[in-house]
Every structure is written in structure tokens, then in C-alpha cells.
Amino acid sequence: MTRIMLLGGSGQVGWELQRSLAPLGAVIALRRAEADLEKPETLRDAIRGNAPDLIVNAAAYTSVDKAESEPDRAMTVNGHAVRVLAEEAAKLGAWLVHYSTDYVFDGSKAGSYTEDDVPNPISVYGRTKLEGDRAIQASGCKHLIFRTSWVYAARGGNFAKTILRLARERDELKIVADQIGAPTAAELIADVTALCVGYIRHCPERFADTSGIYNLVASGETSWHNYAQFVVENAARLGLPLKLGTGSIRPITTREYPLPAPRPLNSRLATDKLKRVFGIELPHWQIHLERVIEELARL
């Protein structure tokens, strides 16, 4: 049976991966006490002791603004620890699945970013994530790096849950309208991961040369402002008691909402490669979001 070692199993994506990967083998979800990415060298014993066929890393330092004041800590988790995972995967001949981000780009491109576009991160978080991507590529291990964006789920902290909470508490919100991307469900990321891993495991000859970076985001695009409106509209449709109406969500610019870490204005990622190699076509961003809002409404 395939042995799958999962890191970050308690996070938004990791939680869904425990479900989606289960049919593919024995999932070994390591707790932080067993695999602490803030102590990279300790990961070697954990990997060698479990001897996995597949390592799935859903753990990361994701506090984008806090990273600006904790660059070393962010680099340890997102860069150095990932390098150790990749080196050990290469020694074992194991596959490594890792998750990257739209923040590796500066957001200045007019169209959607492809996997071949040259990264140019503008934040500490983006630079540390890019370091992890490059460490995997340099290691020579078999790998899938999925670049995604605007991740949300019914559990954990995310934009959709924050908007629902604020919609109950406030009668007006100001939301950035000049950053464009695609809200992407953790469920979708986990399901696509399992599909790709399944193809590789069951058809190794056909998918032997599929190592690389793949953009993995829902189709379509929106702004944070329109995203917030969609959340509130659907919450109202479901009968949730809200103080906020969609007409009271005011659009503002990024300059009007300064944060410690700069954000890319364009977070659009093209998914043509994923479709070409694995035959996977991603659903529109509204589909999963509607379902998650319904789930949150029941809580």
C-alpha cells in the first residue's frame, strides 16, 4: 500500500487532503510535535522513520503581513524546511506535493500568469514561498508544485468567514476592488491533488514526466469587493440575520487600505497546463463558494 506522509493536516487544505488522499493509500498525518517545520533538520528523522512513497506538504508560514517583521521565521518554514523535504524525497525516490502561491508574482502582468512566467515577489511571504519552490526544483525529486490563490474553507480563518462575521456586526464595509483573482476552495485543491496523484500512481508510464509547477485555481475572476458582495448576497438568500446589505459594501483602492505587506494587484493564474497534462478542467469560483456559504450558514 502507498504510504502518504501529510504535513499540515490541521489546516484548511490539509484537513481536506486527509479525506481526498485516503482512497490512495495509508495517510500518515504528522502533528507539529512529530514534524516541526520551524526545526527543519528534525524533519529528516520523521521522513526516514516513515519511509513514505509520497510526501504532501500542506504546512506553511501564511501570515503575510506578520512575515514582514518575521522574515527569518517565514524563510525557515517556507524555504529551509521545504528544502529538507525535497532532499529527503529525492533520497527515497518519493514524490513530493507542495503548495505555492500567486504571491511569487508582482501582479503587474496584464493577463493571467502561466507557469513559465518569471516570478518577482514583492513581499517577504512571496520571497520565502518562491525559495521553497526553487529548492524543490533544485533537489531533483519528483514533484508537483501547485500554485493557488485566495484559499477558503468552512474551517480555519479566511476572507469568506471574515466577511460573514462582519456582515452580522456592521452596517458598512470598505473592501479593496482593484486586486483581481479567483477564490479557490480548499476542497477543490485537495480533490485535484488526489486526482493528479492517482493518475501518477496508477499510470506511471504515461505520467512519468509530469514533475513541475501547475497553477491550481478556480476558473473565472473577481475582485475582493465583488467576492464580498457575493458572500453577503448568498448569506442573505439563505436567511442569515445580517446588518450589512450589498449596497453598503464600498469599493476602495489598495492605496486606501495600506498593509505591512504589499499585495499583487493581478493574481490571475492560467490553468491550461493542468488541463493539458492531466485533463482537469476547473469549475467556476462561485460553485464551491456557494456550497461553503451554505455550510457556514448551518453552523
Side-chain angles (χ1 to χ4, degrees), residues 43 70 127 154 187 279:
L43 298 172
E70 293 186 341
R127 289 193 289 273
E187 177 187 11

Side-chain angles (χ1 to χ4, degrees), residues 238-258:
L238 293 168
L240 271 67
L242 306 176
K243 292 180 66 176
L244 184 72
T246 55
S248 298
I249 304 176
R250 311 296 184 191
I252 60 172
T253 66
T254 298
R255 286 187 177 183
E256 292 176 274
Y257 191 67

Side-chain angles (χ1 to χ4, degrees), residues 63-296:
S63 299
V64 175
D65 290 316
K66 198 174 180 181
E68 295 294 314
S69 59
E70 293 186 341
D72 292 341
R73 186 180 178 197
M75 184 61 80
T76 295
V77 175
N78 293 341
H80 304 327
V82 174
R83 173 181 51 78
V84 170
L85 295 178
E87 290 172 354
E88 293 301 315
K91 292 174 185 175
L92 286 172
W95 278 82
L96 172 62
V97 173
H98 179 70
Y99 300 93
S100 186
T101 173
D102 56 302
Y103 279 71
V104 301
F105 298 113
D106 60 19
S108 64
K109 185 178 179 180
S112 298
Y113 283 95
T114 72
E115 293 83 354
D116 295 326
D117 283 317
V118 178
N120 183 35
I122 54 177
S123 65
V124 169
Y125 170 71
R127 289 193 289 273
T128 63
K129 290 296 290 181
L130 179 59
E131 184 70 18
D133 295 354
R134 288 175 170 168
I136 292 171
Q137 293 172 307
S139 73
C141 75
K142 297 175 290 185
H143 63 272
L144 297 174
I145 299 172
F146 291 117
R147 281 189 179 147
T148 189
S149 70
W150 298 21
V151 179
Y152 67 90
R155 59 179 286 115
N158 56 70
F159 182 79
K161 290 183 70 175
T162 298
I163 292 298
L164 275 180
R165 176 178 58 80
L166 293 175
R168 292 185 177 102
E169 300 171 356
R170 303 185 186 179
D171 54 16
E172 183 178 86
L173 284 179
K174 296 178 180 179
I175 305 294
V176 170
D178 59 353
Q179 295 175 25
I180 306 299
T184 303
E187 177 187 11
L188 176 62
I189 295 169
D191 287 345
V192 170
T193 299
L195 277 173
C196 294
V197 169
Y199 288 146
I200 290 168
R201 302 304 293 180
H202 296 299
C203 304
E205 297 84 8
R206 179 180 174 187
F207 295 100
D209 299 319
T210 52
S211 274
I213 296 173
Y214 296 85
N215 292 337
L216 198 179
V217 293
S219 68
E221 62 185 60
T222 191
S223 67
W224 289 112
H225 176 260
N226 289 338
Y227 180 2
Q229 287 186 313
F230 185 85
V231 170
V232 173
E233 285 172 0
N234 278 270
R237 175 178 58 82
L238 293 168
L240 271 67
L242 306 176
K243 292 180 66 176
L244 184 72
T246 55
S248 298
I249 304 176
R250 311 296 184 191
I252 60 172
T253 66
T254 298
R255 286 187 177 183
E256 292 176 274
Y257 191 67
L259 292 167
R263 268 65 171 171
L265 296 183
N266 174 21
S267 290
R268 291 176 292 174
L269 302 176
T271 58
D272 304 73
K273 182 180 177 182
L274 190 66
K275 182 178 180 180
R276 183 176 69 252
V277 176
F278 290 102
I280 298 172
E281 192 159 355
L282 284 306
H284 194 274
W285 63 267
Q286 294 180 350
I287 294 174
H288 280 85
L289 184 54
E290 285 182 345
R291 187 159 70 243
V292 168
I293 294 168
E294 290 175 359
E295 184 177 349
L296 290 170

